[in-house]
Amino acid sequence: MEEKLKIAVQKSGRLHDGSISLLRECGIRIDNGFDQLIAPAFDFPADVLFLRNSDIPQYLEDGVADIAILGENVVIEKEKECEVVEKLGFSRCRLSLAIPRNEKYDGPGWFKNKKLATSYPNTLRKYLMNNNIDAEIHEISGSVEIAPNIGLADGICDLVSSGSTLFKNGLKEVEVILKSEACFVKGPALNKAKQAVAGEILFRIRSVLASRNNKYILLNAPDEKLEDICKILPGMKSPTIMPLALKGWSSVHSVISETDFWAVIGQLKEKGAQGILVIPIEKMVV
Ligand code: ATP
Ligand code: MG
């Protein structure tokens, strides 16, 4: 029997739920009981491994795992042999420098000869080097935000999303070093069979992401306005137009992207569209 593809996901933490639900939407379902390290997927030639996010790049390099869902920030920090193939649009955050709120900040020069606490020493070292800043890096594995308050460091380099953790600890964000989100990452040495399975997963992920970013839209319009309305609504090829029972009116169906959504709705109403319905798309095959 072929060896199964091994998919690494975070065991517990911020990435776990998003990773499992994305896989589920891709038809890769597992029985995720507590405290298991590995779970076979139902009706799909893959096993899901539950690991520490920060350990996953090494496992990819070693071939213990073949593909993974993990934070891009971890891929960059660990500098292991693995490749970001697709960004997944969840667990967005940034790696930032923060200092006590009452400090006057006049640019990256502030950090000269300061002591900085972080769990991201490699990324921080590179940033400091690129900016010609000589500073001391103090590596700690968690609760970095308390370091300035207990006198361990002058500032920190840590992940931020809303900024509320910084705020609660009397810190302010002063520089963004990198932006990150969850990614589909591939190890260096997949055989042909595993490449094919990984390719199938990637295809499904792209279809799920496309469906998340797009909506199905239906509306009614007077026939003389159809040309204007079709210009606003390109659709996948072009919009579908069907006559209504009421003479002189048609129903228009199309797909619009979430990002354009509100602007497009406004324009459609202006052009005389009525009875606009917007419906989520379950899957969109790309
Ligand atoms: P491990 O699984 O190794 O214990 P961890 O303790 O760093 O990893 P989490 O704190 O759950 O795990 O973070 C996992 C990932 O979630 C981060 O690497 C990052 O990509 C992302 N993330 C998103 N927002 C934040 C945030 N505000 N703080 C920390 N991480 C965040
Ligand atoms: Mg942790």
Side-chain angles (χ1 to χ4, degrees):
M1 208 183 85
E2 285 287 353
E3 200 196 341
K4 288 197 278 181
L5 185 84
K6 296 207 170 49
I7 309 170
V9 299
Q10 191 187 25
K11 183 169 174 56
S12 68
R14 289 186 156 92
L15 286 169
H16 176 84
D17 292 353
S19 306
I20 296 299
S21 40
L22 178 62
L23 290 177
R24 193 187 312 118
E25 283 181 78
C26 292
I28 300 165
R29 290 167 305 117
I30 48 166
D31 186 8
N32 55 340
F34 275 103
D35 273 339
Q36 51 183 354
L37 192 70
I38 182 163
F42 300 126
D43 303 322
F44 194 83
D47 287 328
V48 178
L49 301 181
F50 299 96
L51 300 166
R52 293 281 304 262
N53 191 38
S54 41
D55 293 337
I56 292 176
Q58 183 71 61
Y59 285 125
L60 287 169
E61 182 174 292
D62 295 343
V64 174
D66 300 306
I67 62 167
I69 296 176
L70 89 151
E72 196 179 3
N73 53 299
V74 179
V75 177
I76 293 169
E77 170 64 24
K78 297 297 176 184
E79 300 173 342
K80 301 294 176 190
E81 253 191 82
C82 57
E83 178 199 352
V84 171
V85 181
E86 187 80 38
K87 299 193 181 190
L88 301 175
F90 64 94
S91 288
R92 288 210 167 94
C93 60
R94 50 198 188 271
L95 185 66
S96 291
L97 289 167
I99 65 173
R101 200 181 305 144
N102 51 14
E103 286 284 330
K104 202 172 155 286
Y105 185 73
D106 47 11
W110 187 91
F111 291 96
K112 282 208 170 92
N113 301 320
K114 294 286 196 324
K115 194 168 171 184
L116 306 176
T118 190
S119 310
Y120 291 84
N122 293 327
T123 314
L124 176 58
R125 193 172 303 114
K126 273 196 187 145
Y127 172 85
L128 294 172
M129 246 165 56
N130 290 339
N131 287 279
N132 282 319
I133 298 164
D134 210 3
E136 188 187 332
I137 297 174
H138 190 92
E139 183 178 351
I140 48 180
S141 60
S143 303
V144 173
E145 65 282 356
I146 64 167
N149 286 320
I150 58 172
L152 184 69
D154 303 302
I156 65 166
C157 167
D158 202 11
L159 295 171
V160 183
S161 47
S162 68
S164 65
T165 307
L166 293 182
F167 185 81
K168 277 187 233 149
N169 286 280
L171 302 172
K172 61 179 176 188
E173 184 179 6
V174 291
E175 300 289 341
V176 175
I177 294 184
L178 60 86
K179 290 192 171 153
S180 175
E181 63 190 83
C183 289
F184 177 94
V185 185
K186 208 169 80 173
L190 275 61
N191 65 27
K192 235 177 160 181
K194 285 182 171 183
Q195 284 280 9
V197 180
E200 171 65 22
I201 296 176
L202 188 60
F203 161 74
R204 294 185 186 187
I205 285 177
R206 286 179 173 148
S207 300
V208 169
L209 295 181
S211 71
R212 282 183 187 169
N213 291 333
N214 287 280
K215 302 272 181 252
Y216 192 78
I217 179 167
L218 301 93
L219 57 88
N220 296 327
D223 287 343
E224 69 272 13
K225 296 288 171 71
L226 284 177
E227 201 176 318
D228 286 347
I229 283 177
C230 289
K231 275 190 202 136
I232 310 168
L233 279 181
M236 297 224 271
K237 265 206 169 59
S238 79
T240 306
I241 298 175
M242 284 178 281
L244 293 188
L246 179 65
K247 232 178 151 41
W249 282 75
S250 294
S251 165
V252 180
H253 298 205
S254 190
V255 172
I256 59 173
S257 90
E258 181 88 67
T259 28
D260 304 337
F261 180 75
W262 289 108
V264 169
I265 297 293
Q267 291 173 40
L268 291 171
K269 282 172 66 179
E270 230 168 75
K271 296 289 179 199
Q274 295 182 7
I276 302 175
L277 296 179
V278 177
I279 300 170
I281 297 171
E282 166 73 24
K283 296 284 185 309
M284 189 162 149
V285 177
V286 286

